[in-house]
């Protein structure tokens, strides 16, 4: 018998389990996958840490969270500075003075601001009614055409004119020569990959892999006083209010034995809409690897259907309304705690998941 059955060995489940164990609770953690770590999982392949579910860069402004994660691994000084490749032209991201100089030849912030202002005014958009209009009204036509349109249309599988404006609330525009994507105080990659963090979080805790909660629900529900559920909330309630929608991804990984440096950067976004993938990750650059070979992963956004990995929740009005119905049921549960990105139907970065898990444990075990 356990105090908690934790469904999901991802960041939420593993953090909850670690903290509950520290407070004397007995936990069983299950995961339907054959590994721990959820989407943060990294696997060593020929000496390179491969981010199996897309590039994961840890970043936070919160010192408590940064200190927390640093207990479990040593982090390097990796700074996320992605590059955009638009039909062979290379631009720095996020949009900053390097990008503006390459686009227009401008060298001062004032010239760049003026260029954006002129393009916004020429577009005459007062009330943006779709994503295209929203983006142009924020950054002008050149940046939109070369760096936003194709990428966003691939990401969502629809024309930018059919996408709602709310998807882009803000666009990071910086009038300095700073290619650091994040504004956070702390960022980095754990030296030796993320999986060691999960091994430490789950050390001494019973873990059952290849175990799908829904295939053994009755038995599993009876083995613990409470459940911490980090899977899909609609599935937990048998889809009674409908199916929540997601975007999915297909990853294509290649080991390049003859090449030691394929693209000179960990992340290159392909922002045209003729290239089917959105980005190529070259994993060794996350750890400044010196191997003679390299490993790359192309990331293709795809339509989600049941059975595929649900990566990005589609938080439009329709799906949010459905989620609210499930959330109402969840709020009435005395013995089930819902946490993490699938149960809360929300895109969370890693630092947010840790913050949520710590707050949940404190609410649960310190009152
Ligand atoms: C492509 C991509 C890139 C990202 N990049 C970053 C980044 O750079 N920086 C950052 O901070 N964050 C990033 N994130 C977000 C990060 O992945 C999440 O914050 C984190 O994985 C969420 O942890 P979780 O525990 O909520 O969910 P998950 O990691 O999804 O864990 C849930 C676990 O539950 C298991 N599970 C589900 N249903 C069942 C069931 N029925 N039975 C048993 N087990 C089940 C799943 O197999 C999974 O292992 C990225 C996400 C994606 C998709």
């Amino acid at each position: 018998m356990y105090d908690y059955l934790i469904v999901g060995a991802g960041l939420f489940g593993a953090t909850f389990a670690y903290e509950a164990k520290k407070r004397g609770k007995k936990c069983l953690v299950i995961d339907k996958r054959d590994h721990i770590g959820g989407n943060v999982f990294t696997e060593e392949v020929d000496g390179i840490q491969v981010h199996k579910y897309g590039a994961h860069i840890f970043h936070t402004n919160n010192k408590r969270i940064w200190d927390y994660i640093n207990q479990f691994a040593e982090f390097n000084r990796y700074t996320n500075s992605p590059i955009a490749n638009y039909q062979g032209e290379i631009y720095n991201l996020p949009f900053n003075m390097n990008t503006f100089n390459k686009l227009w030849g401008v060298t001062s912030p004032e010239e760049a601001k003026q260029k954006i202002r002129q393009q916004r005014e020429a577009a005459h958009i007062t009330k943006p009614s779709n994503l295209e209009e929203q983006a142009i009204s924020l950054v002008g036509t050149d940046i939109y055409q070369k760096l936003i349109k194709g990428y966003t249309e691939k990401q969502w599988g629809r024309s930018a004119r059919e996408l709602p404006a709310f998807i882009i609330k803000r666009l990071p525009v910086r009038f300095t020569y700073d290619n650091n994507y994040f504004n956070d105080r702390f960022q980095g990659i754990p030296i030796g990959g993320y999986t060691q963090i999960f091994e430490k979080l789950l050390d001494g805790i019973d873990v059952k892999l290849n175990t799908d909660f829904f295939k053994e629900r009755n038995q599993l529900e009876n083995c613990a006083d409470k459940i911490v559920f980090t899977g899909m909330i609609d599935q937990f309630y048998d889809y009674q209010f409908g199916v929540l929608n997601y975007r999915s991804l297909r990853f294509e990984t290649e080991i390049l034995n003859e090449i030691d440096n394929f693209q000179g950067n960990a992340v290159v976004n392909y922002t045209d809409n003729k290239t089917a993938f959105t980005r190529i990750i070259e994993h060794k650059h996350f750890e400044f690897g010196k191997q003679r070979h390299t490993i790359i992963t192309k990331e293709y956004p795809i339509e989600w259907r049941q059975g595929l990995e649900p990566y990005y929740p589609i938080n439009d009005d329709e799906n949010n309304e459905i989620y609210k119905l499930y959330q109402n049921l969840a709020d009435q549960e005395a013995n089930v705690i819902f946490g993490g990105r699938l149960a809360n139907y929300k895109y969370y970065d890693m630092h947010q998941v840790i913050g949520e898990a710590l707050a949940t444990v404190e609410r649960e075990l310190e009152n």
Side-chain angles (χ1 to χ4, degrees):
M1 270 304 290
Y2 294 94
D3 295 305
Y4 293 97
L5 166 71
I6 299 173
V7 180
L11 197 52
F12 190 96
T15 307
F16 188 99
Y18 177 82
E19 290 297 322
K21 178 176 178 250
K22 230 167 64 179
R23 290 163 175 81
K25 300 295 177 191
K26 197 162 178 232
C27 302
L28 170 65
V29 179
I30 63 162
D31 205 295
K32 62 182 177 184
R33 296 180 185 175
D34 63 2
H35 59 75
I36 55 175
N39 284 349
V40 182
F41 176 66
T42 50
E43 181 182 43
E44 188 177 319
V45 180
D46 291 351
I48 296 175
Q49 291 294 332
V50 172
H51 295 212
K52 292 295 266 194
Y53 301 91
H56 276 73
I57 298 131
F58 198 94
H59 61 97
T60 182
N61 243 334
N62 185 326
K63 175 117 181 20
R64 182 187 173 214
I65 305 278
W66 181 243
D67 290 342
Y68 189 82
I69 196 77
N70 273 268
Q71 297 174 78
F72 307 107
E74 187 184 344
F75 278 67
N76 68 18
R77 58 145 191 91
Y78 179 81
T79 301
N80 189 27
S81 308
I83 298 261
N85 181 325
Y86 175 77
Q87 299 179 349
E89 294 169 22
I90 296 294
Y91 294 94
N92 287 109
L93 298 173
F95 315 132
N96 69 68
M97 286 304 296
N98 291 309
T99 329
F100 308 142
N101 173 264
K102 180 87 187 261
L103 268 172
W104 304 311
V106 296
T107 54
S108 76
E110 198 38 54
E111 288 172 289
K113 284 182 189 167
Q114 198 184 344
K115 201 81 190 164
I116 291 176
R117 208 179 307 126
Q118 280 167 356
Q119 294 196 358
R120 274 191 198 138
E121 284 168 13
H124 297 297
I125 298 164
T126 44
K127 233 179 151 193
S129 65
N130 56 46
L131 188 143
E132 174 167 303
E133 292 181 1
Q134 173 77 345
I136 293 173
S137 71
L138 289 170
V139 291
T141 35
D142 287 346
I143 297 177
Y144 170 69
Q145 288 295 342
K146 290 193 167 181
L147 302 176
I148 298 172
K149 184 179 190 309
Y151 190 87
T152 313
E153 291 185 339
K154 288 189 285 191
Q155 184 90 331
W156 294 100
R158 266 182 280 166
S159 146
R161 290 203 196 100
E162 291 166 29
L163 287 166
F166 83 85
I167 294 182
I168 297 186
K169 291 195 188 87
R170 288 177 302 116
L171 280 168
V173 180
R174 222 178 255 164
F175 295 96
T176 57
Y177 290 91
D178 180 4
N179 296 326
N180 178 357
Y181 197 80
F182 299 119
N183 291 317
D184 288 343
R185 275 172 74 198
F186 310 104
Q187 71 177 299
I189 299 283
I191 299 166
Y194 283 94
T195 302
Q196 60 180 316
I197 295 175
F198 291 87
E199 283 162 359
K200 290 181 193 156
L201 285 169
L202 295 170
D203 187 33
I205 293 170
D206 291 348
V207 177
K208 264 178 86 183
L209 299 175
N210 302 304
T211 305
D212 187 332
F213 175 73
F214 297 106
K215 294 204 173 127
E216 305 171 31
R217 185 166 186 161
N218 283 342
Q219 209 183 321
L220 286 166
E221 276 179 337
N222 289 325
C223 80
D225 294 338
K226 283 192 169 186
I227 296 175
V228 175
F229 184 78
T230 75
M232 295 194 294
I233 191 167
D234 52 354
Q235 189 177 13
F236 188 90
Y237 289 113
D238 215 8
Y239 305 107
Q240 60 183 279
F241 301 125
V243 175
L244 291 167
N245 203 4
Y246 290 88
R247 274 303 271 173
S248 194
L249 295 168
R250 182 168 64 81
F251 297 107
E252 222 176 73
T253 297
E254 290 170 65
I255 300 176
L256 306 175
N257 282 317
E258 308 300 320
I259 299 175
D260 70 336
N261 187 1
F262 175 76
Q263 61 183 13
N265 206 39
V267 183
V268 177
N269 291 0
Y270 282 75
T271 57
D272 65 297
N273 48 19
K274 292 200 183 75
T275 311
F277 46 85
T278 42
R279 45 184 192 170
I280 299 183
I281 308 304
E282 188 171 5
H283 302 270
K284 69 190 298 182
H285 295 307
F286 288 123
E287 291 197 47
F288 317 106
K290 299 272 185 292
Q291 298 84 352
R292 291 202 180 150
H293 62 290
T294 194
I295 302 179
I296 60 166
T297 301
K298 293 179 181 151
E299 197 171 300
Y300 297 83
I302 52 173
E303 214 56 59
W304 176 80
R305 57 185 154 74
Q306 273 162 300
L308 290 180
E309 273 309 324
Y311 285 108
Y312 298 108
I314 310 241
N315 288 110
D316 58 10
D317 291 346
E318 196 182 322
N319 283 288
N320 286 343
E321 284 306 313
I322 298 175
Y323 170 66
K324 261 194 229 153
L325 300 172
Y326 289 121
Q327 197 185 12
N328 281 340
L329 292 184
D331 288 344
Q332 291 160 37
E333 300 278 359
N335 295 321
V336 188
I337 297 166
F338 293 82
R341 64 185 191 99
L342 297 170
N344 291 353
Y345 193 60
K346 195 170 175 186
Y347 180 85
Y348 282 127
D349 273 328
M350 290 179 277
H351 63 281
Q352 294 168 308
V353 174
I354 294 174
E356 288 289 322
L358 294 178
T360 307
V361 175
E362 281 158 19
R363 261 196 319 272
E364 173 73 8
L365 292 173
E366 286 182 8
N367 285 334

